[in-house]
Amino acid sequence: MLRVAVVGSGPSGVYTAQSLVQQSTVPGIRVDVLDRLPCPYGLVRYGVAPDHEKIKSLQQNLRAVLEDERIAFVGDVEIGTRGLTPARLLELYHAVVYCVGAARDRRLGVPGEDLTGSCSATDFVSWYSAHPDASANGFTGSGTGLDGRSAVVIGVGNVAVDVTRILARGVDELRPTDVPEGALRALEASRVREVHMVGRRGPGQAKFTTKELRELGGLPGVRVGVEPADLALDPSFADPSGLPAVNRRNLEVVRGWAAGDADRGGDGVARAIRLRFFLRPVELLGENGRVAAVRFERTEPDGAGGVRGTGRFEEIEAQLVLRAVGYKGVPLPGLPFDEARGTVPNEAGRVLREGVPSLGEYVAGWIKRGPTGVIGTNRPCAKETVASLLADAAELAGREVAGDPLGALRDLGHEPVAWRGWLSIEEAESALGHALGRGRVKIPDWAGLRAAAREGV
């Protein structure tokens, strides 16, 4: 028998578990998928926007994997607490695969970044996605930014598009989703009427995908605008033939907006989205301790694929600033970590300790390769790691491990949430939604999730 722990139940973790049971020739393989949350699915549950139902439906595919009799979900178990170190995990399992993602957002590194009203897009997404680490009141009330007129989203990737869309979307369109009730009420009371999405390079280099970009132009009652002066700076705007296909399609969308094709609201326009390019944030300006504006330096192409500053500056009013400039991995105590890359050093998924593969320790997903790719990119990444693990299987199986890892977890003071506990959470969320006259509504706090899970014990 080969007993494997997969740490993390997002797509990379679930794909790893699936590859293990599909590819293994070891008789009696068992995989425990551990997660610090009592809920599975990782960023599919807590990162995909609530109005992206098609992408969120991927949960059904992940669910089918976790219901395999050779795989067990073990929630509410955090590595690094109550004696559960990587070394201890290796005493409980023949092999451990870490699929812990990249949980830290990158900072801007400019003055004023810590003013009230300046936040990471990650925090905003966690709040409207009901992540239990997020404060249920994080964006509710005075001083949170939603009580202001103007918001600035710094970044031009899909996360930036998501938070821009949620800020501009009418609350009636969010009510049928699983947005927690507190966030729904706060968004309904929001006074934000302008959302500026700003990038330091041109539209030809933006990282958003065309489908997500087009959604902005289809929001009822929302006008999307683009500054012609920004577009004139981008050489690829006039001749996009040298760009990859997705970037060319993005330029077609932006070109339509520049021509005035994105007014979908007529006289009923309630909000405006303004796309800005070639602006680099240099300072967040405050007033009475709150962010009041963002100061940008105008940039221009440097001829080598990047940009350079021009020494000209511009200010955009903002009572809310959300940075969406990327993610970075977080060190896990007991594992080696490359701070510069934000990853665990590895070779084809094998963890390297002082340059030497550590038998029994593996990584997959963003903590392995960095925050790149889309959800589907995790599948080949997981397969590569699993191939390395299975190549080591004969040596791994010879290691002596604990006979009852879940019992050992309980002895350490952990109270694992099993699959039936997660099903109980699902039932409680459906009941909550019914009581509110809505569909299923997420439980947003640790206490509520744990109480619901215990109902299934």
Side-chain angles (χ1 to χ4, degrees):
M1 173 183 283
L2 188 66
R3 190 176 288 277
V4 181
V6 173
V7 180
S9 67
S12 64
V14 175
Y15 293 153
T16 297
Q18 183 181 42
S19 292
L20 280 165
V21 298
Q22 287 181 344
Q23 297 181 42
S24 176
T25 58
V26 179
I29 187 170
R30 292 291 182 271
V31 182
D32 288 347
V33 180
L34 280 58
D35 202 292
R36 64 179 290 265
L37 298 172
C39 310
Y41 312 138
L43 283 177
V44 178
R45 175 175 165 90
Y46 288 117
V48 174
D51 56 345
H52 275 179
E53 289 297 329
K54 185 174 181 179
I55 303 175
K56 289 175 74 69
S57 68
L58 176 62
Q59 293 183 29
Q60 298 308 312
N61 300 44
L62 304 181
R63 181 192 195 100
V65 176
L66 293 175
E67 288 180 333
D68 188 298
E69 62 181 7
R70 297 164 292 180
I71 298 172
F73 172 71
V74 184
D76 205 1
V77 173
E78 184 170 6
I79 313 305
T81 63
R82 285 167 281 182
L84 190 56
T85 62
R88 181 63 175 135
L89 270 180
L90 277 181
E91 296 173 359
L92 304 179
Y93 295 92
H94 294 105
V96 183
V97 187
Y98 294 92
C99 306
V100 293
R104 181 173 58 191
D105 65 280
R106 294 183 181 274
R107 291 177 61 84
L108 300 173
V110 301
E113 189 169 7
D114 294 320
L115 286 166
T116 298
S118 168
C119 312
S120 73
T122 304
D123 289 343
F124 189 60
V125 171
S126 294
W127 171 71
Y128 68 61
S129 297
H131 195 293
D133 285 346
S135 168
N137 299 318
F139 290 86
T140 303
S142 176
T144 61
L146 292 180
D147 59 342
R149 189 188 70 83
S150 177
V152 167
V153 178
I154 299 175
V156 283
N158 280 345
V159 174
V161 173
D162 278 349
V163 298
T164 295
R165 190 180 64 256
I166 294 297
L167 284 168
R169 187 181 281 287
V171 73
D172 287 341
E173 300 162 61
L174 291 174
R175 189 168 282 110
T177 73
D178 59 7
V179 168
E181 188 69 9
L184 187 70
R185 289 197 300 268
L187 290 168
E188 184 173 27
S190 170
R191 297 180 181 177
V192 174
R193 293 297 174 264
E194 285 190 351
V195 186
H196 306 261
M197 188 168 71
V198 187
R200 63 185 178 88
R201 296 198 292 177
Q205 291 76 47
K207 299 298 185 182
F208 37 61
T209 52
T210 310
K211 178 180 179 296
E212 279 67 26
L213 182 64
R214 283 189 178 126
E215 284 184 280
L216 297 180
L219 297 175
V222 176
R223 177 184 289 116
V224 181
V226 186
E227 197 72 34
D230 294 352
L231 304 182
L233 288 171
D234 193 338
S236 62
F237 190 74
D239 179 16
S241 59
L243 294 176
V246 65
N247 299 81
R248 292 199 303 271
R249 290 194 295 269
N250 287 343
L251 283 178
E252 289 174 10
V253 175
V254 174
R255 194 185 302 277
W257 290 341
D261 293 342
D263 182 354
R264 305 294 184 225
D267 293 336
V269 169
R271 291 183 174 90
I273 295 174
R274 306 188 190 283
L275 271 66
R276 299 298 312 275
F277 299 98
F278 292 108
L279 292 174
R280 177 169 57 202
V282 294
E283 185 177 5
L284 273 61
L285 306 175
E287 193 173 281
N288 299 321
R290 286 188 55 177
V291 65
V294 184
R295 191 172 193 232
F296 293 93
E297 181 182 16
R298 168 67 78 182
T299 62
E300 64 182 10
D302 62 5
V307 293
R308 59 181 170 236
T310 64
R312 301 192 304 274
F313 298 89
E314 177 178 335
E315 293 178 10
I316 298 178
E317 175 195 351
Q319 292 78 40
L320 173 65
V321 176
L322 297 174
R323 63 179 181 274
V325 291
Y327 296 95
K328 195 173 183 181
V330 177
L332 187 63
L335 278 185
F337 189 72
D338 183 336
E339 186 65 47
R341 297 187 61 211
T343 59
V344 171
N346 71 93
E347 185 177 88
R350 293 183 176 94
V351 172
L352 300 177
R353 291 185 179 272
E354 298 182 355
V356 178
S358 175
L359 183 66
E361 294 185 306
Y362 305 85
V363 286
W366 279 3
I367 200 65
K368 169 187 174 183
R369 67 181 192 274
T372 60
V374 295
I375 290 175
T377 311
N378 290 296
R379 194 179 289 276
C381 176
K383 286 184 176 180
E384 180 189 55
T385 295
V386 168
S388 295
L389 189 157
L390 293 178
D392 302 337
E395 193 173 1
L396 293 171
R399 295 181 55 249
E400 188 174 335
V401 297
D404 180 16
L406 296 188
L409 291 176
R410 294 186 183 94
D411 290 342
L412 289 170
H414 297 269
E415 298 181 18
V417 171
W419 188 250
R420 67 178 181 273
W422 159 241
L423 296 180
S424 182
I425 291 173
E426 285 190 314
E427 293 173 2
E429 291 183 339
S430 294
L432 174 61
H434 180 74
L436 294 169
R438 299 173 55 194
R440 180 176 166 185
V441 173
K442 286 180 183 172
I443 297 171
D445 60 282
W446 282 99
L449 290 171
R450 285 169 172 157
R454 283 194 295 270
E455 292 294 321
V457 175

